[in-house]
Coordinates of all heavy atoms in Angstrom, one line a residue:
M197 N 92.6 138.3 52.3 CA 92.3 137.7 53.5 C 92.7 138.6 54.7 O 93.9 139.0 54.7 CB 93.0 136.3 53.6 CG 92.4 135.4 54.7 SD 93.5 134.0 54.9 CE 94.5 134.5 56.2
K198 N 91.9 138.8 55.6 CA 92.2 139.7 56.8 C 92.9 138.8 57.9 O 92.3 137.8 58.2 CB 90.9 140.3 57.3 CG 91.2 141.8 57.7 CD 89.9 142.5 58.0 CE 90.1 143.6 59.0 NZ 91.2 144.6 58.7
P199 N 94.0 139.3 58.4 CA 94.6 138.6 59.4 C 93.9 138.7 60.8 O 93.2 139.7 61.0 CB 96.0 139.2 59.5 CG 95.8 140.6 59.0 CD 94.7 140.5 58.0
I200 N 94.0 137.7 61.6 CA 93.4 137.6 62.9 C 94.5 137.6 63.9 O 95.5 136.9 63.8 CB 92.4 136.4 63.0 CG1 91.2 136.7 62.1 CG2 92.0 136.2 64.4 CD1 90.3 135.5 61.9
C201 N 94.3 138.3 65.0 CA 95.3 138.4 66.1 C 95.5 137.0 66.7 O 94.5 136.4 67.2 CB 94.8 139.4 67.1 SG 95.9 139.5 68.6
P202 N 96.7 136.5 66.8 CA 97.0 135.2 67.4 C 96.8 135.3 68.9 O 96.7 134.2 69.6 CB 98.4 134.9 67.0 CG 99.1 136.2 66.7 CD 98.0 137.2 66.3
N203 N 96.8 136.5 69.5 CA 96.8 136.6 71.0 C 95.3 136.6 71.5 O 95.0 135.8 72.4 CB 97.5 137.9 71.4 CG 97.7 138.0 72.9 OD1 98.1 137.0 73.5 ND2 97.5 139.1 73.4
C204 N 94.5 137.4 70.9 CA 93.1 137.5 71.4 C 92.1 137.2 70.3 O 90.9 137.3 70.5 CB 92.8 139.0 71.9 SG 92.8 140.2 70.6
H205 N 92.5 136.7 69.1 CA 91.7 136.3 68.0 C 90.7 137.4 67.5 O 89.7 137.1 67.0 CB 90.9 135.0 68.4 CG 91.8 133.9 68.8 ND1 92.6 133.2 67.9 CD2 92.1 133.5 70.0 CE1 93.3 132.3 68.6 NE2 93.1 132.5 69.9
S206 N 91.2 138.7 67.7 CA 90.4 139.8 67.2 C 90.7 140.0 65.7 O 91.8 139.8 65.3 CB 90.7 141.0 68.0 OG 90.2 142.2 67.3
A207 N 89.7 140.5 65.0 CA 89.9 140.8 63.6 C 90.2 142.3 63.4 O 90.5 142.7 62.3 CB 88.6 140.5 62.8
H208 N 90.3 143.0 64.5 CA 90.7 144.4 64.4 C 92.2 144.6 64.3 O 92.8 144.9 65.3 CB 90.1 145.2 65.6 CG 88.6 145.2 65.6 ND1 87.9 146.1 64.8 CD2 87.7 144.5 66.3 CE1 86.6 145.9 65.0 NE2 86.5 144.9 65.9
V209 N 92.7 144.2 63.2 CA 94.2 144.2 63.0 C 94.5 145.2 61.9 O 93.9 145.3 60.9 CB 94.7 142.8 62.6 CG1 96.1 142.8 62.1 CG2 94.5 141.8 63.8
I210 N 95.5 146.1 62.2 CA 96.0 147.0 61.3 C 97.4 146.7 60.8 O 98.2 146.2 61.6 CB 95.9 148.5 61.8 CG1 96.6 148.6 63.2 CG2 94.5 149.0 61.9 CD1 96.9 150.0 63.6
E211 N 97.7 147.0 59.5 CA 99.0 146.7 59.0 C 100.0 147.7 59.5 O 99.7 148.9 59.5 CB 98.9 146.7 57.5 CG 99.9 145.8 56.8 CD 99.6 145.7 55.3 OE1 98.4 145.6 54.9 OE2 100.6 145.6 54.6
N212 N 101.1 147.2 59.9 CA 102.2 148.1 60.4 C 102.8 148.9 59.2 O 103.1 148.3 58.2 CB 103.3 147.3 61.1 CG 103.9 148.1 62.3 OD1 104.0 149.3 62.2 ND2 104.2 147.4 63.3
M213 N 103.0 150.2 59.4 CA 103.5 151.1 58.3 C 105.0 151.3 58.4 O 105.4 152.3 57.9 CB 102.7 152.4 58.4 CG 101.2 152.2 58.2 SD 100.9 151.5 56.6 CE 99.1 151.3 56.7
D214 N 105.7 150.4 58.9 CA 107.2 150.5 59.0 C 107.8 150.7 57.6 O 108.9 151.3 57.5 CB 107.8 149.3 59.6 CG 107.7 149.4 61.2 OD1 107.3 150.4 61.6 OD2 108.0 148.4 61.8
N215 N 107.2 150.2 56.6 CA 107.8 150.3 55.2 C 108.0 151.7 54.7 O 108.7 151.9 53.8 CB 106.9 149.5 54.2 CG 107.0 148.0 54.5 OD1 107.6 147.6 55.5 ND2 106.3 147.2 53.7
N216 N 107.2 152.6 55.3 CA 107.3 154.0 54.9 C 108.6 154.7 55.2 O 109.0 155.7 54.7 CB 106.2 154.9 55.6 CG 104.8 154.5 54.9 OD1 104.8 153.9 53.9 ND2 103.8 154.9 55.6
I217 N 109.4 154.1 56.1 CA 110.7 154.7 56.6 C 111.6 154.9 55.3 O 112.2 155.9 55.2 CB 111.4 153.8 57.6 CG1 110.6 153.8 58.9 CG2 112.8 154.2 57.9 CD1 110.9 152.8 59.9
Q218 N 111.6 153.9 54.5 CA 112.5 154.0 53.3 C 112.2 155.2 52.4 O 113.1 155.9 52.0 CB 112.4 152.7 52.5 CG 113.6 152.6 51.5 CD 113.5 151.4 50.6 OE1 112.4 150.9 50.3 NE2 114.6 150.8 50.2
G219 N 110.9 155.4 52.2 CA 110.5 156.5 51.3 C 110.9 157.8 51.9 O 111.4 158.7 51.2
I220 N 110.8 158.0 53.2 CA 111.2 159.2 53.9 C 112.7 159.4 53.8 O 113.1 160.5 53.4 CB 110.7 159.2 55.4 CG1 109.2 159.2 55.5 CG2 111.3 160.4 56.1 CD1 108.7 158.8 56.8
A221 N 113.4 158.4 54.0 CA 114.9 158.4 53.9 C 115.3 158.8 52.5 O 116.3 159.6 52.3 CB 115.5 157.1 54.4
E222 N 114.7 158.3 51.5 CA 115.0 158.6 50.1 C 114.8 160.0 49.8 O 115.5 160.7 49.1 CB 114.2 157.7 49.2 CG 114.9 156.4 49.0 CD 114.1 155.4 48.2 OE1 113.0 155.7 47.8 OE2 114.6 154.2 48.1
D223 N 113.7 160.6 50.4 CA 113.4 162.0 50.2 C 114.4 162.9 50.8 O 114.8 163.9 50.3 CB 112.0 162.3 50.7 CG 110.9 161.9 49.8 OD1 111.2 161.5 48.7 OD2 109.7 161.9 50.3
L224 N 114.9 162.5 52.0 CA 115.8 163.3 52.7 C 117.2 163.3 52.1 O 117.9 164.3 52.1 CB 116.0 162.8 54.2 CG 114.9 163.2 55.1 CD1 115.0 162.5 56.5 CD2 114.9 164.7 55.4
F225 N 117.6 162.2 51.6 CA 119.0 162.0 51.1 C 119.0 161.7 49.6 O 119.9 161.0 49.1 CB 119.7 160.9 51.8 CG 119.8 161.2 53.3 CD1 119.1 160.4 54.2 CD2 120.6 162.2 53.8 CE1 119.1 160.6 55.6 CE2 120.6 162.5 55.2 CZ 119.9 161.7 56.0
S226 N 118.1 162.3 48.8 CA 118.1 162.0 47.4 C 119.3 162.7 46.7 O 119.7 163.8 47.1 CB 116.8 162.5 46.7 OG 116.9 163.9 46.6
P227 N 120.0 162.0 45.8 CA 121.2 162.6 45.2 C 120.9 164.0 44.5 O 121.7 164.9 44.6 CB 121.6 161.6 44.1 CG 121.0 160.3 44.6 CD 119.7 160.7 45.3
K228 N 119.7 164.1 43.9 CA 119.3 165.3 43.3 C 119.3 166.5 44.3 O 119.8 167.6 44.0 CB 117.9 165.1 42.7 CG 117.7 165.8 41.4 CD 116.3 165.3 40.8 CE 115.6 166.4 40.1 NZ 114.2 166.0 39.8
L229 N 118.7 166.2 45.5 CA 118.6 167.2 46.5 C 119.9 167.6 47.0 O 120.2 168.8 47.1 CB 117.7 166.7 47.6 CG 117.4 167.7 48.7 CD1 116.3 168.6 48.3 CD2 117.0 167.0 50.0
L230 N 120.8 166.7 47.3 CA 122.1 167.0 47.8 C 123.0 167.7 46.8 O 123.7 168.6 47.1 CB 122.8 165.7 48.3 CG 122.3 165.2 49.6 CD1 122.8 163.8 49.9 CD2 122.7 166.1 50.7
A231 N 122.8 167.3 45.5 CA 123.6 168.0 44.4 C 123.1 169.4 44.3 O 123.9 170.4 44.2 CB 123.3 167.3 43.1
G232 N 121.8 169.7 44.5 CA 121.3 171.0 44.5 C 121.8 171.8 45.7 O 122.2 173.0 45.5
I233 N 121.9 171.2 46.9 CA 122.4 171.9 48.0 C 123.9 172.2 47.8 O 124.3 173.4 48.1 CB 122.3 171.0 49.3 CG1 120.8 170.9 49.7 CG2 123.1 171.6 50.5 CD1 120.5 169.8 50.7
G234 N 124.6 171.3 47.3 CA 126.1 171.5 47.0 C 126.3 172.6 46.0 O 127.1 173.5 46.2
A235 N 125.4 172.7 45.0 CA 125.5 173.7 44.0 C 125.2 175.1 44.6 O 125.9 176.1 44.3 CB 124.6 173.5 42.9
S236 N 124.2 175.2 45.5 CA 123.9 176.5 46.1 C 124.9 176.9 47.1 O 125.2 178.1 47.2 CB 122.5 176.5 46.7 OG 122.2 175.3 47.2
V237 N 125.5 176.0 47.8 CA 126.6 176.3 48.7 C 127.8 176.9 48.0 O 128.4 177.9 48.4 CB 127.0 175.1 49.5 CG1 128.4 175.3 50.3 CG2 125.9 174.7 50.5
C238 N 128.1 176.3 46.8 CA 129.2 176.8 46.0 C 128.9 178.1 45.4 O 129.8 179.0 45.3 CB 129.5 175.8 44.9 SG 130.4 174.3 45.5
K239 N 127.7 178.4 45.0 CA 127.3 179.6 44.5 C 127.5 180.7 45.6 O 128.0 181.8 45.3 CB 125.8 179.6 44.1 CG 125.5 180.3 42.8 CD 124.0 180.2 42.5 CE 123.7 179.3 41.3 NZ 122.2 179.1 41.2
Y240 N 127.1 180.4 46.8 CA 127.2 181.3 47.9 C 128.7 181.7 48.2 O 129.0 182.8 48.4 CB 126.6 180.6 49.2 CG 126.6 181.5 50.4 CD1 125.6 182.5 50.5 CD2 127.6 181.4 51.4 CE1 125.6 183.3 51.7 CE2 127.5 182.2 52.5 CZ 126.5 183.2 52.6 OH 126.5 184.0 53.7
Y241 N 129.6 180.7 48.1 CA 131.0 180.9 48.4 C 131.7 181.2 47.1 O 133.0 181.2 47.1 CB 131.6 179.7 49.1 CG 131.1 179.6 50.5 CD1 130.2 178.6 50.9 CD2 131.6 180.4 51.5 CE1 129.8 178.5 52.2 CE2 131.2 180.3 52.8 CZ 130.3 179.3 53.1 OH 129.8 179.2 54.4
K242 N 131.0 181.4 46.0 CA 131.6 181.8 44.7 C 132.6 180.7 44.2 O 133.6 181.0 43.7 CB 132.2 183.2 44.7 CG 131.2 184.3 45.1 CD 131.6 185.6 44.5 CE 130.8 186.8 45.1 NZ 129.3 186.5 45.2
I243 N 132.2 179.5 44.4 CA 133.0 178.4 43.8 C 132.2 177.8 42.6 O 130.9 178.0 42.6 CB 133.2 177.2 44.9 CG1 133.7 177.8 46.2 CG2 134.1 176.1 44.3 CD1 133.6 176.9 47.4
N244 N 132.8 177.2 41.7 CA 132.1 176.7 40.5 C 131.0 175.7 41.0 O 131.3 174.7 41.7 CB 133.2 175.9 39.7 CG 132.6 175.5 38.3 OD1 131.3 175.4 38.2 ND2 133.4 175.2 37.4
P245 N 129.8 176.0 40.6 CA 128.6 175.1 41.1 C 128.8 173.7 40.7 O 128.3 172.8 41.4 CB 127.4 175.8 40.4 CG 127.8 177.2 40.1 CD 129.3 177.1 39.8
M246 N 129.5 173.4 39.6 CA 129.7 172.0 39.2 C 130.4 171.2 40.2 O 130.1 170.0 40.5 CB 130.5 172.0 37.8 CG 129.7 172.2 36.6 SD 128.3 171.0 36.5 CE 129.2 169.5 36.1
I247 N 131.4 171.9 40.9 CA 132.1 171.2 42.0 C 131.1 170.8 43.1 O 131.2 169.7 43.6 CB 133.3 172.1 42.5 CG1 134.3 172.3 41.4 CG2 133.9 171.4 43.7 CD1 135.2 173.5 41.7
G248 N 130.2 171.7 43.4 CA 129.2 171.5 44.5 C 128.3 170.3 44.1 O 128.0 169.5 44.9
M249 N 127.9 170.3 42.8 CA 127.0 169.2 42.3 C 127.7 167.9 42.4 O 127.1 166.9 42.8 CB 126.6 169.5 40.9 CG 125.4 170.5 40.9 SD 125.0 171.0 39.2 CE 124.0 169.6 38.7
V250 N 129.0 167.8 42.0 CA 129.7 166.6 42.1 C 129.9 166.2 43.5 O 129.7 165.0 43.9 CB 131.1 166.7 41.4 CG1 132.0 165.5 41.6 CG2 130.9 166.9 39.9
A251 N 130.3 167.1 44.4 CA 130.5 166.8 45.8 C 129.2 166.3 46.4 O 129.2 165.4 47.2 CB 131.0 168.1 46.5
G252 N 128.1 167.0 46.1 CA 126.8 166.6 46.7 C 126.4 165.2 46.2 O 125.9 164.4 47.0
G253 N 126.6 164.9 44.9 CA 126.4 163.6 44.4 C 127.2 162.5 45.1 O 126.7 161.5 45.4
A254 N 128.5 162.9 45.4 CA 129.4 161.9 46.0 C 128.9 161.7 47.5 O 128.8 160.5 47.9 CB 130.8 162.5 46.1
I255 N 128.4 162.7 48.2 CA 127.9 162.6 49.5 C 126.7 161.7 49.5 O 126.5 160.8 50.3 CB 127.6 164.0 50.2 CG1 128.9 164.7 50.4 CG2 126.8 163.8 51.5 CD1 128.7 166.2 50.7
A256 N 125.8 162.0 48.5 CA 124.6 161.2 48.4 C 124.9 159.7 48.2 O 124.2 158.8 48.7 CB 123.7 161.7 47.2
T257 N 125.9 159.4 47.4 CA 126.3 158.0 47.1 C 126.7 157.4 48.4 O 126.3 156.2 48.7 CB 127.4 158.0 46.0 OG1 127.0 158.7 44.9 CG2 127.7 156.6 45.6
V258 N 127.5 158.1 49.2 CA 128.0 157.5 50.4 C 126.9 157.3 51.4 O 126.8 156.2 52.0 CB 129.1 158.5 51.1 CG1 129.4 158.1 52.5 CG2 130.3 158.6 50.2
I259 N 126.0 158.2 51.5 CA 124.8 158.1 52.4 C 123.9 156.9 51.9 O 123.5 156.1 52.7 CB 124.0 159.4 52.4 CG1 124.8 160.5 53.2 CG2 122.6 159.2 53.1 CD1 124.2 161.9 53.1
N260 N 123.7 156.8 50.6 CA 122.9 155.7 50.1 C 123.5 154.4 50.4 O 122.8 153.4 50.7 CB 122.7 155.9 48.6 CG 121.6 156.9 48.3 OD1 120.7 157.1 49.1 ND2 121.6 157.5 47.1
L261 N 124.8 154.3 50.2 CA 125.5 153.0 50.5 C 125.4 152.7 52.0 O 125.1 151.5 52.4 CB 127.0 153.1 50.2 CG 127.3 153.0 48.7 CD1 128.8 153.3 48.4 CD2 126.9 151.7 48.1
A262 N 125.5 153.7 52.9 CA 125.4 153.5 54.3 C 124.0 153.1 54.7 O 123.7 152.2 55.5 CB 125.8 154.8 55.1
Q263 N 123.0 153.7 54.0 CA 121.6 153.4 54.2 C 121.3 152.0 53.8 O 120.5 151.3 54.5 CB 120.7 154.3 53.4 CG 120.5 155.6 54.1 CD 119.5 156.5 53.4 OE1 119.2 156.3 52.2 NE2 118.9 157.4 54.0
Q264 N 121.8 151.6 52.7 CA 121.6 150.2 52.2 C 122.0 149.2 53.3 O 121.3 148.2 53.5 CB 122.3 150.0 50.9 CG 121.4 150.4 49.7 CD 122.2 150.5 48.4 OE1 123.2 149.8 48.2 NE2 121.7 151.3 47.5
K265 N 123.1 149.5 53.9 CA 123.6 148.6 54.9 C 122.8 148.7 56.2 O 122.6 147.7 56.9 CB 125.1 148.9 55.2 CG 126.0 148.3 54.2 CD 127.5 148.6 54.5 CE 128.4 148.1 53.3 NZ 129.7 148.7 53.4
L266 N 122.4 149.9 56.5 CA 121.7 150.1 57.8 C 120.2 149.7 57.7 O 119.6 149.1 58.6 CB 121.8 151.5 58.3 CG 123.2 152.0 58.7 CD1 123.2 153.5 58.9 CD2 123.5 151.3 60.0
I267 N 119.6 150.2 56.6 CA 118.1 150.0 56.5 C 117.7 148.8 55.8 O 116.7 148.2 56.1 CB 117.5 151.3 55.8 CG1 117.8 152.5 56.7 CG2 116.0 151.2 55.6 CD1 117.4 153.8 56.0
Q268 N 118.5 148.3 54.8 CA 118.0 147.2 54.0 C 117.7 145.9 54.8 O 116.6 145.4 54.6 CB 119.1 146.9 53.0 CG 118.5 146.4 51.6 CD 118.1 147.6 50.7 OE1 118.8 148.6 50.7 NE2 117.1 147.5 50.0
P269 N 118.5 145.5 55.7 CA 118.2 144.2 56.3 C 116.9 144.2 57.0 O 116.1 143.3 56.8 CB 119.4 144.0 57.3 CG 120.5 144.8 56.7 CD 119.9 146.0 56.1
P270 N 116.5 145.2 57.9 CA 115.2 145.2 58.5 C 114.1 145.3 57.5 O 113.0 144.7 57.7 CB 115.2 146.4 59.5 CG 116.6 147.0 59.4 CD 117.4 146.3 58.3
L271 N 114.3 146.1 56.4 CA 113.3 146.3 55.4 C 113.0 145.0 54.7 O 111.9 144.7 54.4 CB 113.6 147.4 54.5 CG 113.2 148.8 54.9 CD1 113.7 149.8 53.9 CD2 111.7 148.9 55.1
V272 N 114.1 144.3 54.3 CA 113.9 143.0 53.6 C 113.1 142.1 54.5 O 112.2 141.4 54.1 CB 115.3 142.4 53.3 CG1 115.2 141.0 52.8 CG2 115.9 143.3 52.2
K273 N 113.4 142.1 55.8 CA 112.7 141.2 56.8 C 111.3 141.6 56.8 O 110.4 140.8 56.8 CB 113.4 141.4 58.1 CG 113.6 140.1 58.9 CD 114.4 140.4 60.2 CE 113.9 139.7 61.3 NZ 114.5 140.1 62.6
A274 N 111.0 143.0 56.8 CA 109.6 143.4 56.9 C 108.9 143.1 55.7 O 107.7 142.8 55.7 CB 109.6 145.0 57.1
A275 N 109.6 143.1 54.5 CA 108.9 142.8 53.3 C 108.5 141.3 53.2 O 107.5 140.9 52.7 CB 109.8 143.1 52.1
L276 N 109.4 140.5 53.8 CA 109.1 139.0 53.8 C 108.0 138.7 54.8 O 107.2 137.8 54.5 CB 110.4 138.3 54.2 CG 111.5 138.2 53.1 CD1 112.8 137.7 53.6 CD2 111.1 137.5 51.9
M277 N 108.0 139.4 55.9 CA 107.0 139.1 57.0 C 106.3 140.4 57.3 O 106.7 141.2 58.1 CB 107.7 138.6 58.2 CG 108.4 137.3 58.1 SD 109.0 136.7 59.7 CE 110.1 138.0 60.2
P278 N 105.1 140.6 56.6 CA 104.4 141.8 56.9 C 104.0 141.9 58.4 O 103.5 140.9 58.9 CB 103.1 141.7 56.0 CG 103.4 140.5 55.1 CD 104.5 139.7 55.7
R279 N 104.2 143.1 59.0 CA 103.9 143.2 60.4 C 102.5 143.7 60.6 O 102.0 144.5 59.8 CB 104.9 144.2 61.0 CG 106.3 143.9 60.9 CD 106.8 142.9 61.8 NE 106.6 143.2 63.2 CZ 106.8 142.4 64.2 NH1 107.1 141.2 64.0 NH2 106.6 142.8 65.4
Y280 N 101.8 143.2 61.6 CA 100.5 143.6 61.9 C 100.4 144.0 63.4 O 101.1 143.4 64.2 CB 99.5 142.5 61.6 CG 99.4 142.2 60.1 CD1 100.2 141.1 59.6 CD2 98.6 142.9 59.2 CE1 100.1 140.8 58.2 CE2 98.6 142.6 57.9 CZ 99.3 141.6 57.4 OH 99.3 141.3 56.1
L281 N 99.5 144.9 63.7 CA 99.3 145.3 65.0 C 97.8 145.2 65.4 O 96.9 145.7 64.7 CB 99.7 146.8 65.2 CG 99.6 147.4 66.6 CD1 100.7 146.8 67.5 CD2 99.7 148.9 66.6
C282 N 97.5 144.5 66.4 CA 96.2 144.3 66.9 C 95.7 145.5 67.6 O 96.3 146.0 68.6 CB 96.1 143.1 67.8 SG 94.5 142.9 68.5
S283 N 94.6 146.1 67.2 CA 94.1 147.3 67.8 C 93.3 147.0 69.1 O 92.9 147.9 69.8 CB 93.3 148.1 66.8 OG 92.2 147.4 66.3
T284 N 93.0 145.7 69.3 CA 92.3 145.3 70.5 C 93.2 145.1 71.7 O 93.0 145.7 72.8 CB 91.5 144.0 70.3 OG1 90.7 144.2 69.1 CG2 90.6 143.7 71.5
C285 N 94.3 144.4 71.5 CA 95.2 144.1 72.6 C 96.6 144.6 72.4 O 97.5 144.4 73.2 CB 95.3 142.6 72.9 SG 96.1 141.7 71.6
Q286 N 96.8 145.4 71.3 CA 98.1 146.0 71.0 C 99.2 145.0 70.7 O 100.4 145.3 70.8 CB 98.6 147.0 72.1 CG 97.5 148.1 72.4 CD 97.2 148.9 71.2 OE1 98.0 149.4 70.5 NE2 95.9 149.0 70.9
H287 N 98.8 143.7 70.5 CA 99.8 142.7 70.2 C 100.3 142.8 68.8 O 99.5 143.0 67.8 CB 99.2 141.3 70.4 CG 100.1 140.2 70.1 ND1 101.2 139.9 71.0 CD2 100.1 139.2 69.1 CE1 101.8 138.8 70.5 NE2 101.2 138.4 69.4
S288 N 101.7 142.8 68.6 CA 102.3 143.0 67.3 C 102.7 141.6 66.8 O 103.4 140.9 67.6 CB 103.4 144.0 67.4 OG 104.2 143.9 66.2
F289 N 102.4 141.3 65.6 CA 102.7 139.9 65.1 C 102.9 140.0 63.6 O 102.6 141.0 62.9 CB 101.6 138.9 65.4 CG 100.3 139.2 64.8 CD1 99.9 138.6 63.6 CD2 99.5 140.2 65.4 CE1 98.7 138.9 63.0 CE2 98.2 140.5 64.8 CZ 97.8 139.8 63.6
S290 N 103.5 138.9 63.0 CA 103.7 138.8 61.6 C 103.2 137.4 61.2 O 103.2 136.5 62.0 CB 105.1 139.0 61.2 OG 105.9 138.0 61.9
I291 N 102.7 137.3 59.9 CA 102.2 136.1 59.4 C 103.3 135.3 58.7 O 103.9 135.8 57.8 CB 101.0 136.3 58.5 CG1 99.9 137.0 59.3 CG2 100.5 135.0 57.9 CD1 98.7 137.6 58.5
Ligands
LIG315 ZN1 94.8 141.0 69.9

């Protein structure tokens, strides 16, 4: 069922893509990526790469925990109420 704008009753409504924020954040702060960065930093400074991988993983865990607190509430809200944007009058609404 296509949503209709409650403001101007236009059917030219597009779904808001706010949900993509989580995917981008996960790519930026993935534990795998941070562990890799930690390992290469240690290689550069001639420290045991295992220490870097553990440190990177620990940093990723901290970031993920912070993200869950920062990003989760609005995302849960967005998941419960899909956002729509009217392309006729730019009115943003949820069903
Ligand atoms: Zn509208």
